[in-house]
């Protein structure tokens, strides 16, 4: 059977305007534009070689487009998240069903909380943000589940932004894009570090999708840094999702699977 690159996404909820907000003030969100931007984002994933499996919208779950937070998909196993925001916990069962054909599923038990947005995998190292959403028990549970597969889990304190991946994301096999004011660069010693342009504080969230980096259109100065490094970057306008404190990693779960396109 062929190896497929799969992207799980979920249609924008009509309730997106009632999303959780932690570091942003509420601004009006245009739901049609949000949906359109999300569809263009999915088109970028398809162009990057991913088979996009879009789950139906969840009208009662405002943040459910941000599927990344509901699970951590490793090559060997999928860890189901237990979102730190109580309103987001009902997002997990449908993500579990979508992952079930592809991975053994392992849940996280209370009192542990873990948002996928806090989990950054670089090779066999997992950086886990200790944030307002992911607690020490969540990081310990992740370590217990991932260690037998040879992963080392490193906890990284996150206080100035929502998730670790608001401050640091992987842009190439061993390169991370970071906001040094939001996360201490020394945590990533041994990796190549690209810093965001300081004029663009939200610019550290980039999505490595195969050989392509999917990146918000809103950060031209940091984009120039990524391109100067020789990365293949495609930009997408995610302005409406950004008002919900989301960005490009949050809107998909990417993994390899055996099978035929859906
Ligand atoms: C939340 O506060 O949970 C959502 N409004 C935004 C989640 C964004 N997710 C992510 O960065 N992984």
């Amino acid at each position: 059977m062929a190896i497929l690159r799969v992207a799980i996404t979920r249609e924008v909820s009509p309730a997106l305007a009632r999303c959780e907000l932690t570091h942003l003030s509420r601004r009006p969100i245009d739901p049609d534009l949000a949906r359109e931007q999300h569809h263009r984002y999915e088109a970028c994933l398809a162009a990057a070689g991913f088979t996009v499996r879009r789950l139906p919208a969840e009208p009662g779950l405002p943040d459910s487009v941000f599927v990344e937070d509901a699970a951590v998909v490793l090559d060997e196993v999928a860890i189901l998240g237990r979102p730190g925001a109580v309103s987001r916990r009902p997002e997990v069962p449908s993500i579990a069903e979508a992952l079930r054909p592809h991975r053994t599923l392992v849940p996280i038990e209370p009192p542990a909380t873990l948002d996928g947005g806090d989990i950054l995998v670089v090779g066999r190292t997992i950086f886990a943000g200790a944030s307002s959403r992911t607690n020490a028990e969540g990081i310990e549970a992740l370590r217990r589940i991932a260690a037998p597969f040879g992963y080392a889990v490193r906890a990284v304190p996150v206080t100035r932004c929502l998730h670790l991946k608001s401050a640091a994301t992987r842009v190439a096999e061993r390169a991370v894009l970071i906001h040094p004011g939001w996360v201490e660069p020394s945590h990533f010693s041994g990796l190549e570090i690209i810093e965001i342009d300081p004029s663009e504080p939200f610019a550290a969230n980039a999505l490595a999708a195969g050989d392509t980096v999917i990146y918000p259109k809103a950060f031209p100065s940091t984009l120039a840094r990524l391109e100067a490094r020789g990365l293949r970057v495609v930009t997408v306008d995610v302005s409406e999702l950004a008002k919900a404190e989301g960005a490009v990693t949050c809107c998909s779960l990417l993994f390899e699977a055996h099978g035929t396109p859906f």
Side-chain angles (χ1 to χ4, degrees):
M1 239 185 308
I3 299 278
L4 277 187
R5 288 177 158 178
V6 180
I8 291 182
T9 65
R10 173 146 44 204
E11 182 73 270
V12 173
S13 171
L16 178 64
R18 297 202 305 272
C19 62
E20 298 278 346
L21 288 176
T22 308
H23 296 272
L24 295 182
S25 318
R26 203 165 293 277
R27 286 185 290 157
I29 296 178
D30 178 337
D32 293 329
L33 182 56
R35 240 185 323 274
E36 195 182 307
Q37 291 178 344
H38 184 252
H39 289 173
R40 288 205 207 109
Y41 165 85
E42 291 173 324
C44 292
L45 285 169
F50 284 76
T51 297
V52 177
R53 166 131 199 249
R54 182 198 297 151
L55 305 182
E58 291 281 357
L61 299 176
D63 282 306
S64 51
V65 65
F66 302 124
V67 292
E68 167 181 66
D69 293 319
V72 176
V73 187
L74 303 177
D75 287 344
E76 303 82 359
V77 69
I79 298 148
L80 299 178
R82 186 164 179 272
V86 175
S87 70
R88 301 202 55 194
R89 292 192 187 148
E91 296 174 23
V92 177
S94 51
I95 295 295
E97 286 322 302
L99 291 172
R100 194 179 299 284
H102 307 294
R103 292 290 188 278
T104 301
L105 306 179
V106 185
I108 295 272
E109 304 297 340
T113 62
L114 182 135
D115 275 22
D118 278 316
I119 308 305
L120 171 63
V121 182
V122 184
R124 290 278 136 182
T125 303
I126 302 180
F127 299 92
S131 71
S132 61
R133 299 290 178 85
T134 297
N135 63 15
E137 290 89 342
I139 295 174
E140 199 38 51
L142 173 69
R143 183 174 284 125
R144 235 183 0 258
I145 297 163
F149 300 108
Y151 293 93
V153 174
R154 287 199 210 164
V156 179
V158 174
T159 53
R160 305 192 58 192
C161 55
L162 182 59
H163 287 125
L164 175 61
K165 278 189 271 188
S166 317
T169 51
R170 188 181 67 78
V171 288
E173 207 176 323
R174 296 197 54 79
V176 286
L177 175 66
I178 73 164
H179 180 336
W182 285 356
V183 71
E184 175 51 53
S186 60
H187 289 292
F188 303 100
S189 58
L191 297 176
E192 176 187 345
I193 290 177
I194 304 168
E195 294 192 2
I196 59 152
D197 187 284
S199 67
E200 299 172 337
F202 290 92
N205 189 272
L207 177 62
D211 296 335
T212 304
V213 177
I214 299 176
Y215 193 65
K217 193 176 152 201
F219 311 121
S221 304
T222 305
L223 169 67
R225 293 184 180 200
L226 296 173
E227 288 179 332
R229 157 66 174 70
L231 295 170
R232 181 176 181 279
V233 187
V234 298
T235 59
V236 59
D237 189 352
V238 287
S239 63
E240 298 309 294
L241 299 163
K243 291 178 191 170
E245 223 167 331
V248 286
T249 63
C250 344
C251 294
S252 55
L253 283 165
L254 306 185
F255 56 91
E256 289 190 346
H258 295 277
T260 44
F262 302 108

